Amino acid sequence: MKLSGEYVFDGPREEVWKLVRDPEVLMKCMPGTQTVNKISDSEFTGEVTVRIGPFAGVFAGRVIISDEVPPQSCTLTIEGTGKIGFLQGVGAIEMTELEGQKTLMKYSGEAQIGGKVASVGQRLFDTVSKSMMKQGLDTLNGFLKSNAA
Amino acid sequence: MDKRLIGKRVVRNEDPRLLTGQAQYVDDVNLPNMAHAAMFRSEYAHARIRSIDVSKARAYPGVIAVYTAEDMGADCYPGPPLVSPPPTVKDVIFNSRRQVPLVKDKIRHAGEIIAVVIAETRYIAEDGLDLIEIEYEPLPVVADIEKALEPDSPLVHDDLDSNLAAHLVQKKGDYEAARASADAIIQRRFTIERGTAAAMENRGIVAQWDAKSEALTVWDTTQAPIPIRNGLAARLGLSESKVRVIAPFIGGGFGPKIMMFYSEEMLVPWLAIKLNRPVKWIEDRRENFYATTQERGQVHEVEMAFTRDGKILGIKDDFIHDTGAYDPYGLTTPLNTQSHVMGGYDIPNFTSEFRVAFTNKTIVTPMRGAGRPHGIYVIERMMDIAAKELGIDRVEIRRRNLIKPDAFPYEHGIIDQAFAPLIFDSGNYEAVLNETLKAVGYEKFIKEEQPRYRAEGRRVGIGVLPFIETTGVGPYEGARVTVEASGKIAVATGVGTQGQGHFTSFAQVVAEQLGVDVTDVRITTGDSAHFNWGTGTFASRGAVVAGNAMHAAATMVRKKILKLASKVLNAPEEELELEDGMVRVADIPQSSISLSDLAALANPLRGAVEPGTEPGLEATAYYGPQYGPTAFGVHAMIAEIDAETMMIKILRYVVTEDCGTILNPLILEGQIHGGVALGLGNAYYEKLHFDENAQLLNASFMDYLLVGSTEMPRIEVHHLETRSPLNELGTKGVGEAGAIPVPALFAQTMEDALYDYNLEIRETPLNPNRLFGIARKEKTA
């Protein structure tokens, strides 16, 4: 399954990058996030509650950040498992500065899902993941604006 | 009075029990102290198991036990091969790989069982599953059958060099020579995708161990209770007489329930003995989507050689067959495909080569149609394409090639699924075609109705096509017929019943011989305690193989009745009549004796029986054909399609079936109706969507679309009877007939309805979205 899109932040690239790399901020942004633990600068573990169609469950996951070129780009490797299935994905984030102190984030990735999430929730997964993504990025943008204010 | 019962539209003996909820199914078996099992299944399609931790599940209140492969020890080994590879074909490759009860190291498809939790209730057992922790090492997955055979594909079985499960070539005549002399060569590629049988009742097993008498009783939703009994006895080291397998009423078999041994079938009886408690496992629908076998995945590359006037000179067909992660059922399905790629046509030259591929998907075993719809799809699509390319009417090109009535028995010179020679025993194919054309009004539709529809801007198409069905294969079935002291008739056979009307059609066969009412014949099917020889209900063989065993046993009992009555009534046997449960002297009705009294006389409590006589009025007989009879039919459909939405409305659906002697037209029509429903599902609704990681994406009835009553057309069934010369009753099978031609017929009808799109459909199943895409030459799923 492929996931890609872009988002324009109302702030400079360095600020966006700082927020993206802050686990505390991410925890507040990602809908359903219960815990985030920093294992190292580039590795985090955590738990996220996800609801997809008829199933809801906690995913225990791990995110590894690699190929990092601050404040421009990085690669995220994500794996999560829970009672309702599993998810493995690799995504790339690229940020470019726009005029007027704005930042364009382009993201693209490929995820493999299995278990109930795939067999029963597949049709909804696309919509759910897009809406979670949008919700998360909107919240992040909110932080950005309130920090600037 | 007409004493014939065979062929009569007798209402079904079993219906009162079924319709009032009195019929026993496996889940109705509830025993004191019964424990419940739930299976922990892999979510990965291909992975190595790094560790299994069941300690939390074991500690959960209400959990009785948790078993893994390690706990099962030496008892955890694969089931026996169900069908061995054909010994008579040269250079056949067959790599037999069967599933184990519990997987220890490597997962080969999503849904394989890693652990089993046994608890006081199913709820607790399911809660226990949530506490099991498995660490996997995911492996690259192979889902596509063509990619599976590429050299760099991940291996499903590491001990093999490739994913090639089997390879087999069969030839008749000389295709290359035929090709050289042909006026036209047509080549096409066809893809056929998987569906599921979706029986109303999922699988289920209840096992009860009686330690004091060392006896095991198993209730199983199997189509093959006797082989399950024999296999379990061997596996568990018990005497066959101490293992009783009961296949009670079953809510639909359709083939997957004859797969054996399923992991659960090996596990549940073993658990019952181990725990010394009855254990029940009932499959849920999601498990059914993963763990019950499926069918239909094939890719064909076909070439046909024709003369200018549409005569077939030969066919060359290369195909790949998807067997999933294991191949317990041997080559039955691809061999059936091979047998049906020539359809009902006189084809002198034939070369067919198939390769069977292992993939990380659910196991494939026969499902109603069992490889036959694929063969018919290929040949009938090719006939439609040839008709267009050669400018011959599609009915006419078929008529020119159908096997003629005087050509039977028609020998193909290749072997069939039962490794017997492929011989079509009898038939009158053109008459069946003509009957259908007349019934559907083909000429009038083409000449008058269709032009009128088209002038109105409506897209209404017609399809007509023939098919064959190889049926009634061996090895054998048996039956025991007993006249009881009540005068009622007790009959037992080893085949199980899943809705085929056995309690009526078999009763008609016996009642006609013994001169009793059909309701006075009580049939027991699928209980090894009542009859313990047999193979099972599959391959459209019940009415042929068990039916003829019934007939033979009833004929023997009739002889015993006449012999004894002749003595008692002091009249020659030729003058005796069996009617209304009585034996009468033909011209002296007052000189008679009831079967009840006669049964008592045959089994006296005192006195002496003559030397050499057996007690009772009872006989057991067996029937085993050398090869199976081949049925023939023609289906026709008129359907309207809305080109904007691709929603269809079937206006007419006509079937003419020739399955030899009809035992009961009511039951026969029911079989055809059910088959057509499955066929329509295969054609336009049902498809299992796997992603590239072999994850099933529509494992629920929310997303897997079954044909409902609102989609079903009224089906008009016509009959022709060409008796099979192979058996006494003259019967041929019909169990799968309804389903076989539908996808090909549907494609033909849609091409005709969407005439202005100039379609060529080369895949099945379709759906509105996909058909829309084909019509607009777009890529859609």
Side-chain angles (χ1 to χ4, degrees), chain B residues 244-262:
Chain B
R244 178 183 182 187
V245 174
I246 303 165
F249 274 104
I250 293 173
F254 309 116
K257 284 181 182 149
I258 203 166
M259 211 310 271
M260 57 196 164
F261 275 77
Y262 274 108

Side-chain angles (χ1 to χ4, degrees), chain B residues 112-133:
Chain B
E112 281 206 278
I113 308 171
I114 300 171
V116 53
V117 177
I118 305 98
E120 297 295 342
T121 69
R122 177 67 176 257
Y123 289 100
I124 297 171
E126 298 265 349
D127 287 349
L129 295 183
D130 280 350
L131 301 172
I132 293 176
E133 284 166 10

Side-chain angles (χ1 to χ4, degrees), chain A residues 45-63:
Chain A
T45 59
E47 287 184 332
V48 183
T49 304
V50 180
R51 169 168 284 283
I52 294 171
F55 296 110
V58 175
F59 274 90
R62 178 185 303 273
V63 181

Side-chain angles (χ1 to χ4, degrees), chain B residues 410-428:
Chain B
Y410 185 93
E411 287 195 38
H412 273 295
I414 65 170
I415 58 150
D416 70 4
Q417 59 139 323
F419 318 146
L422 181 67
I423 304 173
F424 296 171
D425 59 309
S426 61
N428 192 359

Side-chain angles (χ1 to χ4, degrees), chain B residues 380-615:
Chain B
E380 294 303 332
R381 288 279 64 215
M382 288 298 276
M383 293 303 274
D384 285 332
I385 292 163
K388 279 182 194 164
E389 293 202 357
L390 297 169
I392 303 169
D393 174 72
R394 57 197 146 126
V395 172
E396 180 54 30
I397 195 170
R398 290 176 162 91
R399 193 190 297 280
R400 286 179 195 171
N401 287 290
L402 283 176
I403 297 169
K404 301 279 179 279
D406 59 6
F408 294 100
Y410 185 93
E411 287 195 38
H412 273 295
I414 65 170
I415 58 150
D416 70 4
Q417 59 139 323
F419 318 146
L422 181 67
I423 304 173
F424 296 171
D425 59 309
S426 61
N428 192 359
Y429 294 177
E430 200 178 347
V432 179
L433 177 64
N434 291 339
E435 173 79 17
T436 315
L437 292 171
K438 196 176 82 189
V440 78
Y442 183 77
E443 290 292 324
K444 188 167 179 243
F445 181 85
I446 293 285
K447 285 189 184 132
E448 298 171 25
E449 292 168 25
Q450 196 170 44
R452 200 175 62 233
Y453 283 126
R454 286 181 182 173
E456 291 168 12
R458 290 170 68 183
R459 293 186 175 85
V460 185
I462 190 166
V464 182
L465 58 82
F467 70 101
I468 50 141
E469 184 192 3
T470 60
T471 76
V473 296
Y476 76 95
E477 288 301 335
R480 186 182 61 247
V481 173
T482 311
V483 181
E484 296 191 332
S486 61
K488 312 258 190 215
I489 315 299
V491 178
T493 178
V495 301
T497 195
Q498 304 91 36
Q500 294 88 344
H502 290 153
F503 301 89
T504 312
S505 53
F506 290 160
Q508 285 173 263
V509 171
V510 172
E512 181 172 300
Q513 281 301 313
L514 303 185
V516 296
D517 201 272
V518 176
T519 54
D520 286 337
V521 181
R522 296 158 174 173
I523 310 265
T524 303
T525 65
D527 182 344
S528 68
H530 288 260
F531 200 88
N532 64 2
W533 295 98
T535 43
T537 309
F538 61 97
S540 301
R541 67 195 287 281
V544 178
V545 189
N548 277 287
M550 293 276 167
H551 179 71
T555 308
M556 285 158 74
V557 171
R558 182 186 172 91
K559 281 187 186 144
K560 286 189 177 181
I561 291 169
L562 291 174
K563 191 177 170 194
L564 183 60
S566 160
K567 205 175 291 174
V568 175
L569 298 174
N570 201 16
E573 286 181 30
E574 311 80 70
E575 289 178 16
L576 299 179
E577 286 178 348
L578 270 69
E579 209 178 326
D580 301 330
M582 307 285 288
V583 187
R584 297 196 182 104
V585 182
D587 298 327
I588 322 165
Q590 63 274 31
S591 179
S592 66
I593 182 166
S594 70
L595 287 182
S596 167
D597 290 344
L598 211 55
L601 285 175
N603 185 21
L605 289 174
R606 295 290 184 276
V609 207
E610 275 180 42
T613 34
E614 290 169 3

